[in-house]
Amino acid sequence: GGGGGGGAENRDVNNGMNGSSASGGGSRVVDSVRMSTDSLSLEKNTYRKNTTMPPAKVSTLSDREVLEANVLRQLLEHYFKIVRAAVLDAVPKAVMLMMVNAIQDNIQERLMQAIYLTEDDGAFSGLTRESEEVRRRRSEVKKLVASLRRGIAVMREL
């Protein structure tokens, strides 16, 4: 099979990459990785030719570990679906809340400016003017109050 020499070779590749990236630019990293992989493949071929020991076994997962990994994967998928649904639900609500708050903060000021700063002075007086029905009813009530006061005055004289 294919899994050869094991951990020592991988450590050599990682050490080569870490050492070169800490010391300088990107081209050094690429050159270092190339040199490490070239020497690694030479070491594998030399190892296989010069030793009578079989290469190390690649560890496989037991049935229980595979089952646990699948369960964990399913749990994570369901968790991310729930989080995604929550975010999809919360974002429009947050946007609307921000819009409503911004409008609420500015609406009174804008309405007052629209009322007081109009070029037509009749617009403000038109908003505060009573209707004809209210005027008529007010005059009737004033007459009624005057006659009630006269009636009270007559009763006091008696």
XYZ file of all heavy atoms in Angstrom, residues 137 139-149:
96
model
N -72.424 74.869 16.347
C -72.737 74.206 17.622
C -72.223 75.040 18.799
O -72.890 75.151 19.823
C -72.089 72.816 17.624
C -72.352 72.023 18.860
C -73.748 71.423 18.829
N -73.907 70.567 19.988
C -74.885 70.683 20.865
N -75.837 71.561 20.682
N -74.957 69.896 21.890
N -71.871 78.336 18.938
C -72.763 79.496 19.155
C -74.075 79.072 19.814
O -74.594 79.777 20.692
C -73.018 80.250 17.849
O -73.786 79.446 16.968
N -74.596 77.913 19.444
C -75.813 77.406 20.096
C -75.578 77.153 21.581
O -76.412 77.502 22.431
C -76.293 76.121 19.424
C -76.890 76.291 18.057
C -77.234 74.949 17.410
O -77.113 73.894 18.073
O -77.610 74.956 16.227
N -74.462 76.550 21.906
C -74.148 76.250 23.302
C -73.949 77.553 24.084
O -74.389 77.666 25.245
C -72.912 75.323 23.392
C -72.420 75.197 24.820
C -73.239 73.957 22.832
N -73.304 78.558 23.477
C -73.131 79.847 24.157
C -74.490 80.477 24.477
O -74.701 81.014 25.579
C -72.297 80.804 23.293
C -70.824 80.549 23.354
C -70.083 81.599 22.536
C -68.599 81.354 22.574
N -67.867 82.343 21.765
N -75.430 80.421 23.530
C -76.772 80.970 23.754
C -77.471 80.214 24.881
O -78.129 80.809 25.743
C -77.603 80.910 22.481
C -77.175 81.881 21.425
C -78.021 81.721 20.179
C -77.484 82.584 19.047
N -78.226 82.349 17.808
N -77.330 78.889 24.878
C -77.945 78.061 25.908
C -77.368 78.389 27.284
O -78.106 78.525 28.273
C -77.752 76.579 25.577
C -78.376 75.577 26.529
C -79.888 75.746 26.566
C -78.026 74.163 26.129
N -76.064 78.566 27.392
C -75.417 78.906 28.663
C -75.903 80.275 29.137
O -76.200 80.477 30.336
C -73.873 78.868 28.523
C -73.189 79.491 29.723
C -73.399 77.452 28.327
N -76.015 81.243 28.217
C -76.499 82.592 28.583
C -77.915 82.517 29.120
O -78.269 83.152 30.140
C -76.415 83.525 27.385
N -78.814 81.757 28.472
C -80.201 81.661 28.949
C -80.265 80.926 30.284
O -81.078 81.270 31.155
C -81.127 81.025 27.921
O -80.587 79.904 27.365
N -79.388 79.902 30.514
C -79.358 79.213 31.801
C -78.903 80.165 32.913
O -79.449 80.146 34.032
C -78.464 77.979 31.743
C -79.013 76.790 30.948
C -77.955 75.698 30.846
C -80.267 76.236 31.597
N -77.964 81.009 32.628
C -77.491 81.976 33.631
C -78.605 82.983 33.956
O -78.781 83.370 35.124
C -76.239 82.695 33.130
C -75.025 81.822 33.224
C -73.764 82.556 32.866
N -72.624 81.642 32.970
C -71.490 81.808 32.345
N -71.315 82.843 31.558
N -70.530 80.931 32.515
